[in-house]
């Protein structure tokens, strides 16, 4: 995919596309798209937290981040795709042309075609952001505030909302000292005694330009006023817009210098229905997360209405659901073994299944077609399988995911004839 290069910014759109957009090849990275669009004072409006990912890769999954509640995932911000199907056909598709392929490929896990180029919506880029972190001990208050925040009208909402779980200790990587910004610290006496073994914090961003500075403080204070965080545990900083979006790059550089970046990342990403999130906290966060946990834990709500149900992405069938991400790493010289971390991920999935929490795996991994059918559900599986038969009847794309059994070459021509 890295050989697929090319970025073209259309700051005024073009006939048939009245809004600004960027055409980006499937192998381009989001960081390079950001740099190219910022030169025109524009930027995509939906982002993942880490920008050194390919366009084709994220759009084949969904592309989720702190803006998703407001504008939808990255797959909801695509105007057009160029795709090479499993039959070797190069097809341009959109919501009005070859729409079935368009929606199938978005979130389609690479099963129907290879995204060679995507046309992505742009918006005016701001100069800076006000970046806020506010801490909680009570999970119900934490989730109530998050859900209140994502329910605000677009003009009154923060531009980015995410939530995190941290351990109730002083560790600078995973404890409460990981929350303040540079130059800010937490005195242990500031941490309330109530609550369990973990703490929570909401991370918020308000974009602004230099000419907004006169009213920025008042605006943000008004937006924060309804929240019930711990009053003494709120932290604020202002940074350039590009630096915020690319905030994980400094972490990458630091870890790379220590030989700790290119290590196994046994991540587990889940979509948890709103109706199950309190049970999830009790069963997983408070019961299974131990002091040797290594890596961030994310939890923040998303709105189903911002997702296009015609895409292949699988989400819970509730109006609000949560992304919960366990972003662990396996250190070569300390901490649990990789096999132990994978086993813990499996245990989390087992607990969720036994408790009937209705969780769906994001960036899914399942071992056999039957497990995949349960992941999709009957109706969505029928659509997914139909698209596979139509666009990749020889089953040549992404066989390693074990979604479909690989057809033996001697039977491929017979199968293709039957499908036709």
């Amino acid at each position: 995919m890295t050989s697929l290069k090319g970025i073209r910014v259309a700051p005024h759109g073009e006939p048939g596309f009245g809004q600004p957009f960027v055409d980006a090849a499937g192998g381009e990275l989001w960081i390079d798209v950001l740099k190219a669009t910022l030169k025109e004072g524009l930027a995509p409006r939906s982002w993942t937290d880490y920008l050194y990912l390919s366009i084709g890769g994220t759009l084949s999954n969904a592309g989720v981040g702190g803006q998703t509640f407001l504008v939808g995932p990255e797959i909801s911000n695509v105007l057009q795709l160029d795709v090479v199907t499993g039959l070797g056909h190069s097809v341009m598709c959109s919501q009005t042309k070859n729409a079935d392929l368009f929606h199938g490929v978005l979130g389609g896990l690479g099963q129907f075609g290879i995204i060679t180029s995507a046309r992505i919506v742009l918006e005016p880029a701001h100069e800076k952001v006000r970046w806020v972190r506010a801490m909680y001990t009570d999970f119900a208050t934490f989730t109530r505030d998050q859900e209140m925040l994502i329910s605000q009208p677009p003009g009154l909402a923060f531009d980015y909302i995410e939530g995190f779980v941290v351990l109730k200790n002083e560790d600078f990587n995973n404890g409460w000292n990981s929350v303040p910004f540079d130059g800010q610290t937490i005195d242990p006496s500031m941490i309330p005694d109530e609550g369990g073994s973990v703490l929570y914090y909401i991370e918020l961003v308000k974009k602004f330009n230099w000419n907004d500075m006169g009213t920025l403080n008042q605006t943000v204070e008004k937006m924060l006023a309804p929240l019930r965080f711990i009053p003494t545990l709120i932290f604020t900083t202002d940074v350039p817009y590009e630096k915020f979006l690319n905030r994980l790059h400094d972490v990458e550089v630091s870890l790379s210098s220590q030989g700790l970046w290119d290590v196994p990342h046994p991540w587990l990403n889940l979509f948890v229905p709103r109706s199950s999130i309190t049970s999830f906290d009790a069963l997983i966060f408070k019961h299974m997360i131990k002091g040797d946990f290594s890596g961030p834990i994310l939890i923040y709500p998303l709105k189903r209405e911002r997702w296009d149900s015609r895409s292949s992405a699988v989400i819970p069938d509730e109006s609000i659901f949560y992304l919960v991400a366990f972003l662990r790493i396996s250190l070569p010289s300390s901490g649990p073994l990789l096999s132990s971390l994978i086993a813990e991920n499996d245990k989390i999935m087992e607990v969720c299944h036994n408790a009937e929490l209705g969780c769906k795996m994001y960036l899914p991994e399942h071992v056999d077609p039957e497990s995949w059918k349960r992941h999709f559900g009957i109706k969505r599986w029928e659509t997914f399988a139909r698209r596979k038969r139509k666009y990749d009847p020889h089953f040549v794309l992404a066989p390693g995911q074990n979604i479909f059994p690989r057809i033996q070459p001697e039977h491929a021509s017979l199968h293709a004839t039957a499908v036709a």
Side-chain angles (χ1 to χ4, degrees):
M1 292 295 291
T2 55
S3 65
L4 296 175
K5 294 294 186 183
I7 298 173
R8 180 179 73 92
V9 182
H12 307 292
E14 64 181 31
F17 295 92
Q19 59 198 121
F21 65 81
V22 57
D23 286 329
E28 291 285 0
L29 301 181
W30 284 96
I31 181 61
D32 294 317
V33 171
L34 174 62
K35 291 177 179 178
T37 56
L38 284 177
K39 293 177 181 178
E40 300 289 345
L42 300 166
R45 58 190 186 184
S46 186
W47 296 96
T48 54
D49 293 334
Y50 181 65
L51 303 188
Y52 289 77
L53 301 172
S54 73
I55 302 298
T58 54
L59 296 182
S60 294
N61 287 278
V64 178
Q67 302 87 359
T68 301
F69 80 96
L70 192 62
V71 297
E74 289 177 342
I75 59 172
S76 293
N77 292 275
V78 178
L79 300 171
Q80 181 177 291
L81 295 171
D82 291 318
V83 175
V84 175
T85 70
L87 290 168
H89 300 153
S90 181
V91 183
M92 189 278 287
C93 53
S94 67
Q95 295 218 28
T96 58
K97 185 174 183 181
N98 300 308
D100 184 63
L101 179 62
F102 177 77
H103 295 299
V105 167
L106 293 172
L109 305 175
Q111 288 291 324
F112 314 123
I114 297 169
I115 298 173
T116 58
S117 181
R119 179 163 292 182
I120 299 161
V121 176
L122 298 178
E123 66 177 7
H126 287 71
E127 295 168 328
K128 301 194 74 174
V129 306
R130 171 68 51 87
W131 191 357
V132 180
R133 291 173 177 168
M135 295 188 67
Y136 296 75
T137 56
D138 180 65
F139 186 74
T141 305
F142 166 71
T143 53
R144 182 205 71 90
D145 280 1
Q146 281 195 310
E147 292 176 18
M148 183 274 294
L149 286 166
I150 70 165
S151 69
Q152 299 302 307
L156 302 176
F158 281 96
D159 300 296
Y160 159 104
I161 298 169
E162 289 193 5
F164 294 79
V165 179
V166 294
L167 299 172
K168 203 168 187 180
N169 60 40
E170 297 183 55
D171 186 82
F172 281 92
N173 295 312
N174 302 301
W176 64 64
N177 277 322
S178 64
V179 181
F181 297 105
D182 290 344
Q184 303 171 352
T185 59
I186 294 178
D187 187 295
S189 64
M190 299 167 67
I191 302 297
D193 293 331
E194 68 266 17
S197 60
V198 294
L199 299 163
Y200 315 93
Y201 73 92
I202 295 178
E203 184 170 73
L204 305 165
V205 158
K206 179 65 176 174
K207 298 185 287 190
F208 67 92
N209 294 316
W210 285 112
N211 57 7
D212 301 320
M213 286 299 295
T215 58
L216 179 65
N217 289 342
Q218 182 179 0
T219 298
V220 173
E221 286 175 8
K222 183 177 180 180
M223 296 172 75
L224 292 172
L227 305 185
R228 289 188 246 168
F229 52 85
I230 303 169
T232 56
L233 294 177
I234 181 169
F235 306 94
T236 302
T237 188
D238 293 347
V239 298
Y241 179 58
E242 181 179 1
K243 182 176 177 61
F244 169 74
L245 290 179
N246 198 26
R247 60 197 177 279
L248 293 187
H249 184 57
D250 289 342
V251 177
E252 178 182 4
V253 171
S254 175
L255 292 176
S256 295
S257 67
Q258 304 171 60
L260 299 177
W261 183 256
D262 294 319
V263 298
H265 292 67
W267 290 2
L268 177 63
N269 296 270
L270 301 174
F271 291 138
V272 182
R274 178 192 190 189
S275 61
S276 299
I277 199 64
T278 299
S279 296
F280 192 97
D281 174 60
L283 293 169
I284 307 299
F285 293 148
K286 289 187 170 69
H287 184 67
M288 296 184 64
I289 303 304
K290 307 300 181 183
D292 60 355
F293 192 94
S294 179
I297 305 174
L298 280 67
I299 169 173
Y300 55 90
L302 306 171
K303 299 165 72 173
R304 184 179 179 84
E305 66 186 47
R306 301 301 183 192
W307 297 64
D308 193 322
S309 61
R310 294 169 294 180
S311 79
S312 293
V314 176
I315 59 177
D317 191 18
E318 293 191 7
S319 59
I320 293 177
F321 58 95
Y322 281 77
L323 173 79
V324 178
F326 300 93
L327 306 182
R328 290 194 273 200
I329 60 174
S330 178
L331 300 175
S333 57
S334 63
L337 297 174
L338 175 60
S339 57
S340 298
L341 298 179
I342 294 174
E344 289 179 16
N345 286 347
D346 292 340
K347 181 64 177 178
I348 290 173
M349 294 303 301
E350 179 185 348
V351 170
C352 292
H353 176 74
N354 291 341
E356 299 181 345
L357 300 186
C359 302
K360 295 293 184 180
M361 190 180 291
Y362 175 57
L363 309 178
E365 296 180 67
H366 297 287
V367 297
D368 54 58
E370 288 305 314
S371 300
W372 281 103
K373 289 179 183 179
R374 288 192 295 271
H375 169 77
F376 282 98
I378 295 175
K379 186 175 181 180
R380 294 189 66 84
W381 172 255
E382 290 175 351
T383 300
F384 199 80
R386 174 189 61 77
R387 286 168 170 166
K388 185 68 171 180
R389 293 192 299 269
K390 182 176 182 180
Y391 301 113
D392 184 25
H394 301 295
F395 295 6
V396 298
L397 295 173
Q401 294 171 332
N402 299 313
I403 302 179
F404 299 96
R406 188 70 182 267
I407 295 180
Q408 298 300 316
E410 60 267 24
H411 301 304
S413 60
L414 178 62
H415 179 78
T417 302
V419 170

